[in-house]
Amino acid sequence: MRISVGLGKCDGEERLALQGIGRRDFMKFCTAIAAVMGMGPAFAPEVANALTGRRPSVVYLHTAECTGCSEAVLRTYKPFIDSLILDTISLDYHETIMAAAGEAAEKALEQAVNAPEGFICVVEGAIPTAMNGQYGYIAGHTMYDICKNVLPKAKAVLCMGTCACYGGVQAAAPNPTGAKGVNDAFADLGVKAINIAGCPPNPLNLVGAIVAYLTGKEIKLDCVGRPVMFFGQTVHDLCERRAHFEAGEFAPSFDSEEARKGWCLYDLGCKGPSTYNNCPKVLFNDASWPVAAGHPCIGCSEPGFWDDLTPFYSNK
């Protein structure tokens, strides 16, 4: 099967066809990405061009984290986003899924970072800075030093998840490891990462940011470094339960009849009014998101959410 999207044959199409990703699924995915970016369906061919052109080299660094952001990417489907991503970018370094280990892995990182065509760097996890970064080591190097050496060389830096963006749960009080977000930890080096916040973020937001970069589209950021195209509205603004909020209809408990009817979860701790994210619009696995599943938004895409927005089940 050969993918044909009206753009002519290219190596990218052949790679995707070999993975069993047909034209319909691929263009549906491209249209979804265009929508996530706030563009109309007419932008889908540009998304397709970006994803089937010359594969950009990507270095994916893990620091202090739980690997949940990578898991979110690898478990997404329609089409299987792991296959799509792995066949539209050259993922040259990713500690969780790469086959190489030890010296071979170190060599792969060195080659990717020094490639003449450059690379995009994605960081997952907070940066431990206390005690000269000694709370986090990989292959005998502190996570801080690895990022210090790699990030300034990247053509673009993307933070995948709230830990990389702002420190996340690792930075919660009393924060003994001195965990910080990438921009906070490396501001003195001129690093200006794009923050794809969330715990975990929707993988489509990461893909949308990469597509925006590859197509030369301006990526406007908010005051905390998040792309406005994904984080320009509050969860409350987009929530399907907002009508109940406006009507003053609030579920008194999770097991109440009102909760089963879809009444607003604000009185149960929902942080949607103070959280910027597109969760209600861009569903996980094209299926659901926390509030639709009956759980309040905990504000996981906000800086300092673990300290500032807890307890999660109270608005007191």
Side-chain angles (χ1 to χ4, degrees):
M1 180 189 301
R2 182 183 300 276
I3 296 175
S4 175
V5 294
L7 304 170
K9 293 189 294 183
C10 68
D11 291 340
E13 295 175 17
E14 294 174 358
R15 291 194 302 268
L16 293 172
L18 290 173
Q19 291 291 335
I21 300 175
R23 174 184 181 276
R24 177 177 297 179
D25 281 343
F26 179 60
M27 289 309 298
K28 182 179 179 181
F29 177 79
C30 292
T31 301
I33 294 297
V36 170
M37 296 171 65
M39 311 296 288
F43 190 69
E46 290 193 49
V47 175
N49 272 329
L51 294 178
T52 55
R54 187 179 183 278
R55 294 195 299 170
S57 174
V58 174
V59 170
Y60 197 116
L61 299 179
H62 289 273
T63 51
E65 42 76 31
C66 69
T67 316
C69 297
S70 288
E71 287 288 347
V73 172
L74 296 173
R75 294 177 185 275
T76 303
Y77 71 104
K78 290 188 176 180
F80 288 97
I81 199 170
D82 57 332
S83 298
L84 183 60
I85 287 181
L86 295 178
D87 281 275
T88 54
I89 66 174
S90 180
L91 189 56
D92 295 323
Y93 185 84
H94 189 297
E95 292 152 11
T96 302
I97 62 175
M98 66 192 302
E103 293 181 358
E106 291 293 289
K107 185 176 180 180
L109 177 59
E110 181 181 357
Q111 290 178 339
V113 169
N114 293 298
E117 62 272 16
F119 66 99
I120 297 170
C121 188
V122 179
V123 182
E124 177 179 344
I127 312 299
T129 63
M131 294 182 62
N132 295 317
Q134 295 185 56
Y135 281 101
Y137 277 89
I138 298 173
H141 307 287
T142 67
M143 295 171 177
Y144 179 89
D145 284 342
I146 292 171
C147 290
K148 181 180 179 180
N149 291 331
V150 172
L151 300 189
K153 300 176 183 178
K155 295 190 294 184
V157 178
L158 288 83
C159 291
M160 181 62 170
T162 297
C163 294
C165 296
Y166 314 118
V169 64
Q170 284 73 243
N175 192 10
T177 67
K180 296 181 178 180
V182 167
N183 285 333
D184 190 12
F186 301 108
D188 59 331
L189 299 181
V191 174
K192 296 181 179 179
I194 298 169
N195 289 331
I196 309 299
C199 188
N202 194 307
L204 296 186
N205 290 341
L206 174 65
V207 178
I210 293 175
V211 167
Y213 172 77
L214 293 176
T215 57
K217 180 178 173 58
E218 180 184 6
I219 303 176
K220 295 181 180 180
L221 305 178
D222 66 11
C223 62
V224 290
R226 300 173 298 197
V228 175
M229 69 179 83
F230 313 133
F231 301 93
Q233 293 178 280
T234 66
V235 167
H236 176 73
D237 290 335
L238 301 171
C239 183
E240 63 260 36
R241 300 185 187 227
R242 182 174 176 179
H244 292 289
F245 177 92
E246 301 293 346
E249 297 173 343
F250 302 100
S253 66
F254 290 111
D255 61 352
S256 65
E257 183 64 26
E258 291 85 353
R260 285 189 284 272
K261 290 180 179 179
W263 283 27
C264 181
L265 302 176
Y266 183 76
D267 283 353
L268 300 178
C270 187
K271 306 302 190 296
S274 58
T275 301
Y276 286 83
N277 210 331
N278 59 3
C279 300
K281 179 181 177 181
V282 185
L283 306 179
F284 281 82
N285 280 344
D286 196 29
S288 191
W289 68 289
V291 172
H295 193 283
C297 168
I298 64 172
C300 71
S301 57
E302 294 301 309
F305 83 99
W306 193 265
D307 290 327
D308 299 339
L309 301 181
T310 51
F312 293 135
Y313 300 110
S314 172
N315 276 311
K316 307 300 182 184

